[in-house]
Amino acid sequence: MIRLNDITAGLLSYNPKADTTMVQKAYVYSAKVHQGQVRLSGLPYLSHPLEVAHILTEMKMDVTTVVAGLLHDTVEDTDAELSEIERLFGKSTANIVDGVSKISRIQFNTREERQAENIRKMILAMTTDIRVIMVKLADRLHNMRTLGFHSPEKQASIAKETLDIYAPLAGRMGIYWLKSSLEDLCLFYLEPEIYNKINQGIAERRGFSEKFIKEVIAILNDKMKQSNIEATVKGRHKHFYSIYCKMRDQNLNVDQVYDVIAFRVIVRTLKECYEVLGIIHSMWKPVLGRFKDYISLPKANMYQSLHTSVVGPYGQRMEIQIRTWEMDKVAEEGIAAHWKYKEGLIGTADQKQFGWLKQLLEWQKNLQDPKEFMEMVQMDLFPNEVYVFTPKGEVKEFPKGATPVDFAYSIHSEVGEKCSGAKVNGRMVPLRYQFNNGDIVEIITSGKQHPRKDWLEFVKTTKAKSRIRQWIKNQERDESIALGKNILEKALEQAHLEAQNITKNEQLETVAKDFSLNSIQDLLANIGYGLISSNQVIGRLKPQETESEKAEGLMKKMVARLTRKKDTKGIKVKGLDDVLVRFANCCHPLPGERVIGFITMGRGVTIHKHDCKQMLDADSRRIVEVEWEPSEEDVYMARLKITSEDKKGILADISSIMAQREANIIQAEVKTTMDKKGVSFFTIQVNNYKHLEGIMGAIKKIKEVLIVERI
């Protein structure tokens, strides 16, 4: 367990003049208010703020931040008052504690709403004092280190949120050791089998790897001395999560991932960085397409380094990073390497480094839909950039995979909307073209052009996605108003009601208010969308029925309901009875999974998984809450992709497991890849998600099976 002396010693190691009396005072106060509280591990609760404060010293944060780390849970989890924190420890400390406390205080109906609101609060807190997020990151790291004391469901939920938000946020702050630690811990809980395979694979090769690292370091040191370059050379295994990403992206087994070792050469000057690069490329053959110059074009968080991959001794691939000591300090410490962290505020000197934060602040103001907001945040947090030039030579930064449409919207929304083509390096390219570093881009516009829905399939920037969606929504609304007006006019005519001047009808204004709508336009749009039927409107416009007419109508409805064939397929739609239900072919939801319903005009309610990609652009007004009510007779479709070693009898083994688990195989397709792997696609019938999980788990245990995934 961390002690107070560990924290003060860590603080003094990088700030010898630090006043540690405030740290000691915060320790005594925290111990007092947390007295009697115990964590799930059985340790006193005080162990948590001590660990958080110690992590903050590892980040090389200032005294105020370390003090806030000791106090970060006092207001939320004890009787301590914020006013007392301010009186005893100062306003800056109180503001940080308040910012950290507010992030997770409000409860929301759905995970998306809760997560989106937490991120909104973090962004607002960060713009006030960047140190809030530093404390939150330290808090999350210690919580991840002690996650094993939670239930499996809680472990998966916290690890997923950490991987989606906190790990990339640590990367954006430039604290790569923290990012890697969070990612490896997430992998341990989200993919334990893969984590253990990687761990075992590295352990089996450890003897050779350690010898290889020493040998390469010795070769590089010798070459540096021969060239009169004062350098420090380091070697290490790559982090588990980066190895996992390579396995996933390239469909490899752990034994097939060879470049798991990375080296770093640290020199004194910028000039020496490029000299070392030339020396390395003269020694070992560089791997094409694997060189990145982050010195000339730094990352958004000001990270600078040269990255190259070469074929080293024994024909083994290895990555080498080359940087100066100042660049290494920024890479290791992130924000703490910059003077401004001592003040906590973001000033003009840091605008380039924190431009991404300003952009996130804009999105949190403008995007109300939690799903859209979370998508934008995740896109902006992952720093895979590509750099291109305007015809005038101005450098523009985009996410990897960005297209001319993204470029056009970065100039102005009107340019994006009228973008009809583009020239890259003087040649016409399609709008789907993905930029390469150094491309020179020129946009061609046309007054006849307008945004198209299929642009959403390939644009990468948050601004482009947001503006395209907004244009489409406005267009769909106009079309829905026109359709709704046409439907209502016909319904009024059939009901022998006056249909003149619908858009200014006082009775219709009253009907709109009855539906809690602001205007007749909103009412017509909802009719066009299929959210309100014309009969509902007619019912409110018709004269009131007599009691006998009501009784007769009620009897007809009861008879109709008794004779109507109910087709809900194990789904209950909240607020709607006897509605036609069908399951989406894009995601094949199963009982046990979270689902949503989408009202489709003339086709009832379509059931999707709550995170289905097809629902990203769906009109939120047509989404309804649904829940499962499956019967024992119901069966559902699921589709699996199984990657295995190309071995005789493997298909029989897989089919046998499906038969044992009572899964009916509807369709099967098998092919062999160029690298001698078997890829099988199965469409099967299952009872629910738990049934499918059991089948997938059993197939994963087959020795020759590499990956089992649901598609």
Side-chain angles (χ1 to χ4, degrees):
M1 179 172 153
I2 294 295
R3 303 178 189 278
L4 176 62
N5 288 344
D6 300 318
I7 297 168
T8 55
L11 185 57
L12 291 170
S13 68
Y14 59 87
N15 187 1
K17 296 181 180 179
D19 181 6
T20 59
T21 55
M22 195 61 77
V23 177
Q24 294 166 355
K25 184 179 177 181
Y27 166 75
V28 172
Y29 183 85
S30 187
K32 178 185 173 183
V33 297
H34 284 300
Q35 189 174 11
Q37 294 181 344
V38 180
R39 283 174 65 82
L40 289 176
S41 63
L43 289 172
Y45 194 89
L46 182 64
S47 63
H48 174 61
L50 281 169
E51 291 280 358
V52 170
H54 187 255
I55 292 168
L56 289 167
T57 65
E58 291 179 322
M59 294 182 189
K60 294 184 170 55
M61 295 307 296
D62 63 325
V63 172
T64 301
T65 313
V66 175
V67 169
L70 284 166
L71 303 172
H72 76 278
D73 276 339
T74 54
V75 173
E76 188 175 359
D77 294 338
T78 75
D79 295 330
E81 297 286 343
L82 193 64
S83 57
E84 186 178 29
I85 299 291
E86 183 175 342
R87 180 173 59 82
L88 293 173
F89 302 99
K91 187 164 186 175
S92 291
T93 301
N95 286 341
I96 297 171
V97 172
D98 186 41
V100 175
S101 300
K102 282 179 177 176
I103 288 173
S104 55
R105 188 174 289 169
I106 298 179
Q107 296 297 314
F108 292 88
N109 296 327
T110 68
R111 178 178 174 273
E112 287 83 3
E113 284 181 357
R114 184 168 59 253
Q115 196 177 47
E117 189 61 26
N118 285 346
I119 300 303
R120 289 182 199 273
K121 286 179 173 292
M122 267 198 290
I123 291 165
L124 289 170
M126 286 162 67
T127 56
T128 305
D129 193 327
I130 200 75
R131 293 173 293 187
V132 170
I133 197 59
M134 307 305 284
V135 177
K136 188 62 187 174
L137 286 172
D139 173 58
R140 180 52 63 108
L141 178 58
H142 184 243
N143 283 335
M144 284 300 300
R145 286 173 175 172
T146 55
L147 196 58
F149 297 100
H150 287 277
S151 66
E153 293 78 16
K154 191 80 170 175
Q155 289 173 359
S157 173
I158 293 173
K160 183 69 169 64
E161 182 183 64
T162 301
L163 193 61
D164 286 347
I165 301 299
Y166 291 96
L169 192 53
R172 270 296 196 181
M173 305 300 282
I175 314 169
Y176 287 103
W177 68 265
L178 178 59
K179 176 178 182 285
S180 299
S181 297
L182 289 172
E183 287 174 340
D184 285 356
L185 286 164
C186 291
L187 183 65
F188 178 81
Y189 288 105
L190 294 174
E191 297 286 354
E193 289 184 23
I194 294 177
Y195 183 96
N196 290 329
K197 278 184 179 180
I198 295 171
N199 192 22
Q200 185 180 349
I202 288 177
E204 289 172 355
R205 287 187 272 174
R206 188 168 297 281
F208 170 77
S209 297
E210 289 177 356
K211 180 185 174 185
F212 179 78
I213 290 171
K214 288 179 182 178
E215 188 173 330
V216 171
I217 289 175
I219 293 170
L220 286 170
N221 276 327
D222 187 52
K223 279 288 183 182
M224 295 304 107
K225 286 177 183 176
Q226 290 177 25
S227 304
N228 293 319
I229 296 174
E230 187 180 317
T232 298
V233 184
K234 301 176 182 179
R236 59 167 178 82
H237 283 94
K238 288 187 177 180
H239 295 284
F240 283 16
Y241 186 76
S242 65
I243 296 172
Y244 161 73
C245 289
K246 193 175 289 289
M247 292 169 60
R248 179 195 62 196
D249 297 342
Q250 299 179 22
N251 199 20
L252 301 174
N253 197 354
V254 67
D255 298 329
Q256 297 170 309
V257 182
Y258 294 109
D259 51 343
V260 297
I261 296 173
F263 294 90
R264 184 176 302 157
V265 182
I266 308 171
V267 295
R268 293 171 301 175
T269 67
L270 179 64
K271 179 173 174 284
E272 288 176 338
C273 288
Y274 290 96
E275 286 180 22
V276 170
L277 179 68
I279 292 168
I280 289 170
H281 283 181
S282 68
M283 293 164 57
W284 296 306
K285 184 180 178 181
V287 179
L288 291 175
R290 295 300 303 273
F291 170 66
K292 294 177 182 175
D293 185 349
Y294 293 121
I295 292 179
S296 298
L297 296 169
K299 291 190 177 184
N301 57 20
M302 303 306 289
Y303 172 89
Q304 288 183 290
S305 186
L306 298 177
H307 290 198
T308 186
S309 289
V310 297
V311 180
Y314 313 109
Q316 181 162 336
R317 279 190 180 191
M318 57 188 190
E319 182 185 291
I320 302 177
Q321 301 171 356
I322 309 161
R323 60 181 71 147
T324 65
W325 282 105
E326 182 60 30
M327 294 172 192
D328 192 60
K329 183 182 179 186
V330 173
E332 289 296 312
E333 298 175 15
I335 182 181
H338 299 271
W339 67 271
K340 205 65 180 179
Y341 85 94
K342 295 173 185 175
E343 311 252 348
L345 306 175
I346 300 171
T348 53
D350 301 299
Q351 282 182 354
K352 185 175 181 183
Q353 185 185 0
F354 296 104
W356 59 274
L357 179 55
K358 184 180 177 183
Q359 193 175 45
L360 286 182
L361 185 64
E362 182 184 335
W363 298 135
Q364 78 85 20
K365 288 177 183 175
N366 297 332
L367 293 173
Q368 299 305 316
D369 183 86
K371 190 182 295 182
E372 277 189 34
F373 175 69
M374 287 306 298
E375 180 188 348
M376 299 303 186
V377 169
Q378 288 168 353
M379 282 172 59
D380 265 7
L381 284 183
F382 288 96
N384 291 322
E385 294 98 358
V386 62
Y387 299 87
V388 298
F389 296 91
T390 67
K392 293 182 179 180
E394 180 190 349
V395 178
K396 282 186 170 285
E397 176 188 328
F398 293 97
K400 194 173 182 180
T403 66
V405 176
D406 295 294
F407 189 100
Y409 274 100
S410 75
I411 298 169
H412 196 279
S413 296
E414 288 185 11
V415 177
E417 289 174 2
K418 295 176 181 178
C419 176
S420 60
K423 285 183 179 180
V424 173
N425 304 324
R427 293 186 301 106
M428 289 296 298
V429 295
L431 293 180
R432 288 177 175 266
Y433 172 86
Q434 295 187 355
F435 293 142
N436 296 308
N437 276 320
D439 280 346
I440 301 171
V441 185
E442 182 183 349
I443 298 299
I444 299 167
T445 59
S446 168
K448 297 180 180 179
Q449 180 70 357
H450 58 76
R452 290 166 30 190
K453 203 164 188 174
D454 65 330
W455 286 4
L456 290 168
E457 296 173 7
F458 58 80
V459 294
K460 296 296 181 184
T461 59
T462 50
K463 181 175 183 178
K465 279 186 179 288
S466 176
R467 295 293 188 268
I468 294 166
R469 281 177 176 151
Q470 189 61 48
W471 193 91
I472 290 169
K473 282 180 181 177
N474 291 339
Q475 191 73 10
E476 286 180 347
R477 176 177 166 80
D478 291 343
E479 291 173 359
S480 294
I481 289 172
L483 177 61
K485 185 171 181 287
N486 185 265
I487 291 170
L488 185 58
E489 283 175 344
K490 289 181 179 178
L492 288 168
E493 188 178 336
Q494 290 176 358
H496 306 293
L497 293 172
E498 191 175 332
Q500 291 181 351
N501 203 7
I502 279 182
T503 55
K504 294 183 180 179
N505 189 297
E506 288 185 5
Q507 284 183 290
L508 284 176
E509 284 182 4
T510 304
V511 173
K513 288 177 183 177
D514 287 345
F515 283 108
S516 301
L517 300 172
N518 294 325
S519 65
I520 294 175
Q521 299 287 328
D522 290 342
L523 178 65
L524 296 175
N526 276 271
I527 295 171
Y529 280 128
L531 301 177
I532 296 174
S533 72
S534 56
N535 288 336
Q536 288 176 289
V537 177
I538 299 298
R540 282 169 168 76
L541 292 173
K542 274 186 174 181
Q544 291 293 314
E545 294 179 321
T546 64
E547 290 301 318
S548 60
E549 287 173 334
K550 284 183 181 178
E552 184 181 349
L554 181 62
M555 183 60 68
K556 286 180 180 178
K557 287 180 182 177
M558 290 176 65
V559 171
R561 184 165 291 180
L562 288 170
T563 56
R564 189 183 301 164
K565 183 180 179 182
K566 194 172 182 178
D567 183 16
T568 60
K569 298 183 181 177
I571 282 285
K572 179 181 179 183
V573 182
K574 292 185 180 180
L576 297 172
D577 293 324
D578 298 323
V579 65
L580 181 67
V581 167
R582 66 191 188 94
F583 292 97
N585 291 325
C586 51
C587 55
H588 293 293
L590 299 174
E593 293 185 295
R594 288 180 56 200
V595 286
I596 56 173
F598 183 74
I599 298 173
T600 311
M601 284 183 279
R603 302 170 73 182
V605 175
T606 305
I607 308 301
H608 292 262
K609 287 170 63 177
H610 82 286
D611 56 356
C612 176
K613 291 181 180 179
Q614 295 294 324
M615 290 290 98
L616 289 176
D617 307 315
D619 189 332
S620 58
R621 290 170 295 183
R622 294 168 68 175
I623 292 175
V624 293
E625 289 187 52
V626 296
E627 59 185 32
W628 290 103
E629 280 190 347
S631 67
E632 293 182 2
E633 296 81 22
D634 290 334
V635 290
Y636 303 85
M637 295 292 185
R639 190 160 166 77
L640 296 179
K641 177 184 176 183
I642 302 168
T643 306
S644 63
E645 295 176 7
D646 188 19
K647 183 185 174 184
K648 188 176 180 181
I650 186 70
L651 189 60
D653 293 342
I654 295 170
S655 302
S656 175
I657 285 174
M658 291 181 178
Q660 291 168 13
R661 298 269 174 163
E662 298 182 347
N664 186 28
I665 300 174
I666 302 299
Q667 187 179 16
E669 178 187 346
V670 184
K671 62 181 181 180
T672 304
T673 62
M674 295 288 288
D675 56 347
K676 301 296 182 183
K677 287 190 177 65
V679 180
S680 310
F681 295 90
F682 288 91
T683 302
I684 59 175
Q685 286 182 330
V686 295
N687 300 326
N688 49 45
Y689 182 61
K690 190 174 180 181
H691 186 197
L692 179 64
E693 274 192 320
I695 294 166
M696 291 175 69
I699 294 171
K700 283 180 182 178
K701 291 178 182 178
I702 299 174
K703 185 179 178 182
E704 293 79 14
V705 170
L706 304 174
I707 301 172
V708 180
E709 53 189 321
R710 180 180 171 198
I711 57 174

